[in-house]
Amino acid sequence: MTQIPDLLLEPMVRHALHEDLGAYGDVTTRAVIPEGTRYAARINAREPGVVSGMQIAAIAFRLVDPALRVTTHVADGQPCAPGDTLMEIEGSAASILSAERVALNFAGRLTGIATLTAAFVKETQGTATRVTCTRKTTPGLRAAEKLAVQHGGGFNHRYGLSDAILIKDNHIAAAGGIRAALGAATASASHMLKIEIEVDTLDQLSEVLEVGGADVVLLDNMSTPDLARAVEMVSGRLVTEASGNMRRERIAEVCATGVDYVSSGALTHSARTLDLGLDF
């Protein structure tokens, strides 16, 4: 099961709980539920998918009430079918109800991302191509959404602006061209920092190969025949990444070109929230 430490996820869950509980807490639950009422609740899947967000849902329940007993039955990264119980929560009914919406918001959203990622990954079968996400994530939720991509069998691109050099078309324009941009990048990069450069045409790729210094080339919005030609030109000297217009129905033909990675912002910005419910 792919996880990151709870410590790194807690701040976003705390923020969501503060947002939902407001300044005075859950007034409905406090007014309606008799003090001391205990219940056993279940998070159930209402449609098929690949589960993500169970770790975060558990954090939400425990932050509201550490005394709640949370049992995960379907781990993050595992498939689910309609009617499957993903998690059981036992304890104070008021605490369960106060955490319910935040837990479900995270779990449904992240399970949707994992499910869409798994569908993309399925299209790569029989090839060595990997599916990776981008930085097109919901502000404040990047750690969770990138984790969900892993749960769906995908890989993570750079986490943010600080962990890799990615020279895009606007960088190239502002720097004065490919040669200038690569020269400046290689002069400043440490031995631990990878350099990727974006190209839109095969002529630009030729220049990148001539200049040298890059570790990865991003082949942006190229036709499938141009992608195949680009892979031939690179001939293993650089890691190749195909990006732009990477719809699910196109993934198989792109993988057949031999690219190393297919990156798609749709994994995180266009995933549909999966229908999960909490039942008493």
mmCIF file with all atom_site columns, all heavy atoms in Angstrom, residues 132-149:
data_model
loop_
_atom_site.group_PDB
_atom_site.id
_atom_site.type_symbol
_atom_site.label_atom_id
_atom_site.label_alt_id
_atom_site.label_comp_id
_atom_site.label_asym_id
_atom_site.label_entity_id
_atom_site.label_seq_id
_atom_site.pdbx_PDB_ins_code
_atom_site.Cartn_x
_atom_site.Cartn_y
_atom_site.Cartn_z
_atom_site.occupancy
_atom_site.B_iso_or_equiv
_atom_site.pdbx_formal_charge
_atom_site.auth_seq_id
_atom_site.auth_comp_id
_atom_site.auth_asym_id
_atom_site.auth_atom_id
_atom_site.pdbx_PDB_model_num
ATOM 1   N N   . THR A 1 132 ? 2.137  9.341  -16.268 1.00 0.00 ? 132 THR A N   1
ATOM 2   C CA  . THR A 1 132 ? 2.506  10.239 -15.178 1.00 0.00 ? 132 THR A CA  1
ATOM 3   C C   . THR A 1 132 ? 1.585  11.450 -15.150 1.00 0.00 ? 132 THR A C   1
ATOM 4   O O   . THR A 1 132 ? 0.990  11.828 -16.161 1.00 0.00 ? 132 THR A O   1
ATOM 5   C CB  . THR A 1 132 ? 3.981  10.693 -15.309 1.00 0.00 ? 132 THR A CB  1
ATOM 6   O OG1 . THR A 1 132 ? 4.338  11.507 -14.185 1.00 0.00 ? 132 THR A OG1 1
ATOM 7   C CG2 . THR A 1 132 ? 4.208  11.482 -16.580 1.00 0.00 ? 132 THR A CG2 1
ATOM 8   N N   . CYS A 1 133 ? 1.456  12.036 -13.964 1.00 0.00 ? 133 CYS A N   1
ATOM 9   C CA  . CYS A 1 133 ? 0.612  13.209 -13.794 1.00 0.00 ? 133 CYS A CA  1
ATOM 10  C C   . CYS A 1 133 ? 1.404  14.478 -14.077 1.00 0.00 ? 133 CYS A C   1
ATOM 11  O O   . CYS A 1 133 ? 2.542  14.433 -14.534 1.00 0.00 ? 133 CYS A O   1
ATOM 12  C CB  . CYS A 1 133 ? 0.037  13.237 -12.381 1.00 0.00 ? 133 CYS A CB  1
ATOM 13  S SG  . CYS A 1 133 ? 1.301  13.227 -11.091 1.00 0.00 ? 133 CYS A SG  1
ATOM 14  N N   . THR A 1 134 ? 0.807  15.641 -13.783 1.00 0.00 ? 134 THR A N   1
ATOM 15  C CA  . THR A 1 134 ? 1.458  16.928 -13.985 1.00 0.00 ? 134 THR A CA  1
ATOM 16  C C   . THR A 1 134 ? 1.253  17.776 -12.726 1.00 0.00 ? 134 THR A C   1
ATOM 17  O O   . THR A 1 134 ? 0.801  17.266 -11.704 1.00 0.00 ? 134 THR A O   1
ATOM 18  C CB  . THR A 1 134 ? 0.852  17.660 -15.199 1.00 0.00 ? 134 THR A CB  1
ATOM 19  O OG1 . THR A 1 134 ? -0.478 18.084 -14.866 1.00 0.00 ? 134 THR A OG1 1
ATOM 20  C CG2 . THR A 1 134 ? 0.808  16.757 -16.430 1.00 0.00 ? 134 THR A CG2 1
ATOM 21  N N   . ARG A 1 135 ? 1.538  19.076 -12.838 1.00 0.00 ? 135 ARG A N   1
ATOM 22  C CA  . ARG A 1 135 ? 1.280  19.996 -11.727 1.00 0.00 ? 135 ARG A CA  1
ATOM 23  C C   . ARG A 1 135 ? -0.124 20.601 -11.804 1.00 0.00 ? 135 ARG A C   1
ATOM 24  O O   . ARG A 1 135 ? -0.436 21.524 -11.057 1.00 0.00 ? 135 ARG A O   1
ATOM 25  C CB  . ARG A 1 135 ? 2.322  21.117 -11.709 1.00 0.00 ? 135 ARG A CB  1
ATOM 26  C CG  . ARG A 1 135 ? 3.679  20.676 -11.183 1.00 0.00 ? 135 ARG A CG  1
ATOM 27  C CD  . ARG A 1 135 ? 4.780  21.711 -11.425 1.00 0.00 ? 135 ARG A CD  1
ATOM 28  N NE  . ARG A 1 135 ? 4.394  23.061 -11.113 1.00 0.00 ? 135 ARG A NE  1
ATOM 29  C CZ  . ARG A 1 135 ? 4.360  24.065 -12.005 1.00 0.00 ? 135 ARG A CZ  1
ATOM 30  N NH1 . ARG A 1 135 ? 4.661  23.855 -13.273 1.00 0.00 ? 135 ARG A NH1 1
ATOM 31  N NH2 . ARG A 1 135 ? 4.019  25.277 -11.637 1.00 0.00 ? 135 ARG A NH2 1
ATOM 32  N N   . LYS A 1 136 ? -0.967 20.089 -12.674 1.00 0.00 ? 136 LYS A N   1
ATOM 33  C CA  . LYS A 1 136 ? -2.336 20.608 -12.801 1.00 0.00 ? 136 LYS A CA  1
ATOM 34  C C   . LYS A 1 136 ? -3.229 19.965 -11.745 1.00 0.00 ? 136 LYS A C   1
ATOM 35  O O   . LYS A 1 136 ? -4.128 19.172 -12.035 1.00 0.00 ? 136 LYS A O   1
ATOM 36  C CB  . LYS A 1 136 ? -2.858 20.367 -14.211 1.00 0.00 ? 136 LYS A CB  1
ATOM 37  C CG  . LYS A 1 136 ? -2.090 21.152 -15.265 1.00 0.00 ? 136 LYS A CG  1
ATOM 38  C CD  . LYS A 1 136 ? -2.577 20.849 -16.665 1.00 0.00 ? 136 LYS A CD  1
ATOM 39  C CE  . LYS A 1 136 ? -1.762 21.620 -17.702 1.00 0.00 ? 136 LYS A CE  1
ATOM 40  N NZ  . LYS A 1 136 ? -2.181 21.308 -19.094 1.00 0.00 ? 136 LYS A NZ  1
ATOM 41  N N   . THR A 1 137 ? -2.947 20.316 -10.505 1.00 0.00 ? 137 THR A N   1
ATOM 42  C CA  . THR A 1 137 ? -3.642 19.754 -9.359  1.00 0.00 ? 137 THR A CA  1
ATOM 43  C C   . THR A 1 137 ? -4.475 20.831 -8.669  1.00 0.00 ? 137 THR A C   1
ATOM 44  O O   . THR A 1 137 ? -4.280 22.030 -8.897  1.00 0.00 ? 137 THR A O   1
ATOM 45  C CB  . THR A 1 137 ? -2.637 19.183 -8.345  1.00 0.00 ? 137 THR A CB  1
ATOM 46  O OG1 . THR A 1 137 ? -1.675 20.203 -8.011  1.00 0.00 ? 137 THR A OG1 1
ATOM 47  C CG2 . THR A 1 137 ? -1.892 17.986 -8.926  1.00 0.00 ? 137 THR A CG2 1
ATOM 48  N N   . THR A 1 138 ? -5.395 20.415 -7.820  1.00 0.00 ? 138 THR A N   1
ATOM 49  C CA  . THR A 1 138 ? -6.196 21.363 -7.046  1.00 0.00 ? 138 THR A CA  1
ATOM 50  C C   . THR A 1 138 ? -5.301 22.075 -6.037  1.00 0.00 ? 138 THR A C   1
ATOM 51  O O   . THR A 1 138 ? -4.589 21.418 -5.280  1.00 0.00 ? 138 THR A O   1
ATOM 52  C CB  . THR A 1 138 ? -7.316 20.622 -6.297  1.00 0.00 ? 138 THR A CB  1
ATOM 53  O OG1 . THR A 1 138 ? -8.061 19.824 -7.229  1.00 0.00 ? 138 THR A OG1 1
ATOM 54  C CG2 . THR A 1 138 ? -8.241 21.599 -5.596  1.00 0.00 ? 138 THR A CG2 1
ATOM 55  N N   . PRO A 1 139 ? -5.288 23.407 -6.026  1.00 0.00 ? 139 PRO A N   1
ATOM 56  C CA  . PRO A 1 139 ? -4.424 24.113 -5.077  1.00 0.00 ? 139 PRO A CA  1
ATOM 57  C C   . PRO A 1 139 ? -4.625 23.622 -3.645  1.00 0.00 ? 139 PRO A C   1
ATOM 58  O O   . PRO A 1 139 ? -5.747 23.521 -3.154  1.00 0.00 ? 139 PRO A O   1
ATOM 59  C CB  . PRO A 1 139 ? -4.851 25.580 -5.233  1.00 0.00 ? 139 PRO A CB  1
ATOM 60  C CG  . PRO A 1 139 ? -5.315 25.675 -6.658  1.00 0.00 ? 139 PRO A CG  1
ATOM 61  C CD  . PRO A 1 139 ? -6.002 24.359 -6.916  1.00 0.00 ? 139 PRO A CD  1
ATOM 62  N N   . GLY A 1 140 ? -3.518 23.307 -3.014  1.00 0.00 ? 140 GLY A N   1
ATOM 63  C CA  . GLY A 1 140 ? -3.556 22.834 -1.632  1.00 0.00 ? 140 GLY A CA  1
ATOM 64  C C   . GLY A 1 140 ? -3.704 21.339 -1.474  1.00 0.00 ? 140 GLY A C   1
ATOM 65  O O   . GLY A 1 140 ? -3.522 20.820 -0.367  1.00 0.00 ? 140 GLY A O   1
ATOM 66  N N   . LEU A 1 141 ? -4.025 20.633 -2.564  1.00 0.00 ? 141 LEU A N   1
ATOM 67  C CA  . LEU A 1 141 ? -4.270 19.190 -2.461  1.00 0.00 ? 141 LEU A CA  1
ATOM 68  C C   . LEU A 1 141 ? -3.269 18.361 -3.257  1.00 0.00 ? 141 LEU A C   1
ATOM 69  O O   . LEU A 1 141 ? -3.503 17.182 -3.513  1.00 0.00 ? 141 LEU A O   1
ATOM 70  C CB  . LEU A 1 141 ? -5.692 18.859 -2.957  1.00 0.00 ? 141 LEU A CB  1
ATOM 71  C CG  . LEU A 1 141 ? -6.852 19.534 -2.235  1.00 0.00 ? 141 LEU A CG  1
ATOM 72  C CD1 . LEU A 1 141 ? -8.178 19.008 -2.779  1.00 0.00 ? 141 LEU A CD1 1
ATOM 73  C CD2 . LEU A 1 141 ? -6.776 19.314 -0.733  1.00 0.00 ? 141 LEU A CD2 1
ATOM 74  N N   . ARG A 1 142 ? -2.163 18.960 -3.647  1.00 0.00 ? 142 ARG A N   1
ATOM 75  C CA  . ARG A 1 142 ? -1.249 18.269 -4.545  1.00 0.00 ? 142 ARG A CA  1
ATOM 76  C C   . ARG A 1 142 ? -0.730 16.954 -3.966  1.00 0.00 ? 142 ARG A C   1
ATOM 77  O O   . ARG A 1 142 ? -0.672 15.940 -4.661  1.00 0.00 ? 142 ARG A O   1
ATOM 78  C CB  . ARG A 1 142 ? -0.069 19.174 -4.928  1.00 0.00 ? 142 ARG A CB  1
ATOM 79  C CG  . ARG A 1 142 ? 0.890  18.521 -5.915  1.00 0.00 ? 142 ARG A CG  1
ATOM 80  C CD  . ARG A 1 142 ? 1.858  19.513 -6.502  1.00 0.00 ? 142 ARG A CD  1
ATOM 81  N NE  . ARG A 1 142 ? 1.142  20.464 -7.348  1.00 0.00 ? 142 ARG A NE  1
ATOM 82  C CZ  . ARG A 1 142 ? 1.699  21.577 -7.846  1.00 0.00 ? 142 ARG A CZ  1
ATOM 83  N NH1 . ARG A 1 142 ? 2.949  21.879 -7.535  1.00 0.00 ? 142 ARG A NH1 1
ATOM 84  N NH2 . ARG A 1 142 ? 1.007  22.383 -8.612  1.00 0.00 ? 142 ARG A NH2 1
ATOM 85  N N   . ALA A 1 143 ? -0.339 16.956 -2.709  1.00 0.00 ? 143 ALA A N   1
ATOM 86  C CA  . ALA A 1 143 ? 0.216  15.735 -2.112  1.00 0.00 ? 143 ALA A CA  1
ATOM 87  C C   . ALA A 1 143 ? -0.794 14.596 -2.187  1.00 0.00 ? 143 ALA A C   1
ATOM 88  O O   . ALA A 1 143 ? -0.450 13.455 -2.544  1.00 0.00 ? 143 ALA A O   1
ATOM 89  C CB  . ALA A 1 143 ? 0.621  15.985 -0.666  1.00 0.00 ? 143 ALA A CB  1
ATOM 90  N N   . ALA A 1 144 ? -2.052 14.896 -1.868  1.00 0.00 ? 144 ALA A N   1
ATOM 91  C CA  . ALA A 1 144 ? -3.090 13.863 -1.880  1.00 0.00 ? 144 ALA A CA  1
ATOM 92  C C   . ALA A 1 144 ? -3.386 13.398 -3.298  1.00 0.00 ? 144 ALA A C   1
ATOM 93  O O   . ALA A 1 144 ? -3.548 12.194 -3.553  1.00 0.00 ? 144 ALA A O   1
ATOM 94  C CB  . ALA A 1 144 ? -4.360 14.396 -1.218  1.00 0.00 ? 144 ALA A CB  1
ATOM 95  N N   . GLU A 1 145 ? -3.462 14.332 -4.238  1.00 0.00 ? 145 GLU A N   1
ATOM 96  C CA  . GLU A 1 145 ? -3.823 13.964 -5.604  1.00 0.00 ? 145 GLU A CA  1
ATOM 97  C C   . GLU A 1 145 ? -2.698 13.205 -6.297  1.00 0.00 ? 145 GLU A C   1
ATOM 98  O O   . GLU A 1 145 ? -2.951 12.258 -7.055  1.00 0.00 ? 145 GLU A O   1
ATOM 99  C CB  . GLU A 1 145 ? -4.223 15.210 -6.382  1.00 0.00 ? 145 GLU A CB  1
ATOM 100 C CG  . GLU A 1 145 ? -5.523 15.794 -5.853  1.00 0.00 ? 145 GLU A CG  1
ATOM 101 C CD  . GLU A 1 145 ? -6.037 16.996 -6.631  1.00 0.00 ? 145 GLU A CD  1
ATOM 102 O OE1 . GLU A 1 145 ? -5.298 17.538 -7.476  1.00 0.00 ? 145 GLU A OE1 1
ATOM 103 O OE2 . GLU A 1 145 ? -7.197 17.380 -6.388  1.00 0.00 ? 145 GLU A OE2 1
ATOM 104 N N   . LYS A 1 146 ? -1.466 13.578 -6.035  1.00 0.00 ? 146 LYS A N   1
ATOM 105 C CA  . LYS A 1 146 ? -0.348 12.826 -6.610  1.00 0.00 ? 146 LYS A CA  1
ATOM 106 C C   . LYS A 1 146 ? -0.256 11.428 -5.990  1.00 0.00 ? 146 LYS A C   1
ATOM 107 O O   . LYS A 1 146 ? 0.116  10.461 -6.659  1.00 0.00 ? 146 LYS A O   1
ATOM 108 C CB  . LYS A 1 146 ? 0.963  13.596 -6.443  1.00 0.00 ? 146 LYS A CB  1
ATOM 109 C CG  . LYS A 1 146 ? 1.131  14.713 -7.477  1.00 0.00 ? 146 LYS A CG  1
ATOM 110 C CD  . LYS A 1 146 ? 2.474  15.379 -7.362  1.00 0.00 ? 146 LYS A CD  1
ATOM 111 C CE  . LYS A 1 146 ? 2.724  16.332 -8.536  1.00 0.00 ? 146 LYS A CE  1
ATOM 112 N NZ  . LYS A 1 146 ? 3.077  15.634 -9.780  1.00 0.00 ? 146 LYS A NZ  1
ATOM 113 N N   . LEU A 1 147 ? -0.609 11.314 -4.729  1.00 0.00 ? 147 LEU A N   1
ATOM 114 C CA  . LEU A 1 147 ? -0.658 10.003 -4.085  1.00 0.00 ? 147 LEU A CA  1
ATOM 115 C C   . LEU A 1 147 ? -1.735 9.138  -4.734  1.00 0.00 ? 147 LEU A C   1
ATOM 116 O O   . LEU A 1 147 ? -1.541 7.940  -4.968  1.00 0.00 ? 147 LEU A O   1
ATOM 117 C CB  . LEU A 1 147 ? -0.931 10.172 -2.593  1.00 0.00 ? 147 LEU A CB  1
ATOM 118 C CG  . LEU A 1 147 ? -0.840 8.936  -1.702  1.00 0.00 ? 147 LEU A CG  1
ATOM 119 C CD1 . LEU A 1 147 ? 0.545  8.302  -1.760  1.00 0.00 ? 147 LEU A CD1 1
ATOM 120 C CD2 . LEU A 1 147 ? -1.195 9.287  -0.263  1.00 0.00 ? 147 LEU A CD2 1
ATOM 121 N N   . ALA A 1 148 ? -2.871 9.735  -5.072  1.00 0.00 ? 148 ALA A N   1
ATOM 122 C CA  . ALA A 1 148 ? -3.957 8.996  -5.721  1.00 0.00 ? 148 ALA A CA  1
ATOM 123 C C   . ALA A 1 148 ? -3.534 8.487  -7.094  1.00 0.00 ? 148 ALA A C   1
ATOM 124 O O   . ALA A 1 148 ? -3.936 7.389  -7.511  1.00 0.00 ? 148 ALA A O   1
ATOM 125 C CB  . ALA A 1 148 ? -5.195 9.880  -5.847  1.00 0.00 ? 148 ALA A CB  1
ATOM 126 N N   . VAL A 1 149 ? -2.730 9.267  -7.808  1.00 0.00 ? 149 VAL A N   1
ATOM 127 C CA  . VAL A 1 149 ? -2.205 8.812  -9.102  1.00 0.00 ? 149 VAL A CA  1
ATOM 128 C C   . VAL A 1 149 ? -1.378 7.536  -8.908  1.00 0.00 ? 149 VAL A C   1
ATOM 129 O O   . VAL A 1 149 ? -1.496 6.576  -9.685  1.00 0.00 ? 149 VAL A O   1
ATOM 130 C CB  . VAL A 1 149 ? -1.362 9.915  -9.766  1.00 0.00 ? 149 VAL A CB  1
ATOM 131 C CG1 . VAL A 1 149 ? -0.574 9.362  -10.956 1.00 0.00 ? 149 VAL A CG1 1
ATOM 132 C CG2 . VAL A 1 149 ? -2.266 11.060 -10.228 1.00 0.00 ? 149 VAL A CG2 1
#
